[in-house]
Amino acid sequence: MASEANKNSNKNENHVNAFISGAISGTITSVLFQPFDVIRTRQQLLQKDSLNSNSIFSIFKKIVKNEKVLNLWKGTGATVWRIVPGAGAYFTLVSIFTQKLNNSQVKEEIKPFLV
């Protein structure tokens, strides 16, 4: 009975680790790609004005030249709040389903494809 409790504790710990891993990866991804999101948003806003160049590089140069470089990361907080729970849940669900499939009577031909 003690080993059963130990197994359940390990399963829960694995799921918590999976959630934390997903949350960390979501945070890193959000921070790294936020400048591209800001530039894309600016590009969409400037799309109506066809007189100016709306290339990615020209928008990047305008932001760096006319504003603070940190403005490339505007809205990062909101993006992190949106991404982190979903990434954590995704990693947790993958962990749960992988564990259940590994413990079930899955055909041997499929097992190599499981994570």
Side-chain angles (χ1 to χ4, degrees), residues 30-98:
S30 297
V31 172
L32 285 177
F33 290 104
Q34 186 65 25
F36 297 108
D37 199 30
V38 168
I39 291 169
R40 179 184 53 91
T41 303
R42 298 271 180 103
Q43 192 174 33
Q44 289 172 344
L45 290 172
L46 294 172
Q47 203 168 22
K48 295 175 185 173
D49 184 16
S50 61
L51 298 176
N52 294 330
S53 173
N54 295 330
S55 73
I56 293 170
F57 297 111
S58 67
I59 293 171
F60 175 79
K61 283 192 263 183
K62 286 177 192 175
I63 292 173
V64 171
K65 183 179 177 183
N66 301 331
E67 305 173 30
K68 298 177 192 173
V69 174
L70 290 177
N71 280 357
L72 289 168
W73 282 271
K74 263 188 176 178
T76 303
T79 302
V80 168
W81 275 102
R82 180 179 45 119
I83 296 294
V84 166
Y90 176 78
F91 274 57
T92 303
L93 288 173
V94 167
S95 172
I96 290 169
F97 288 133
T98 302

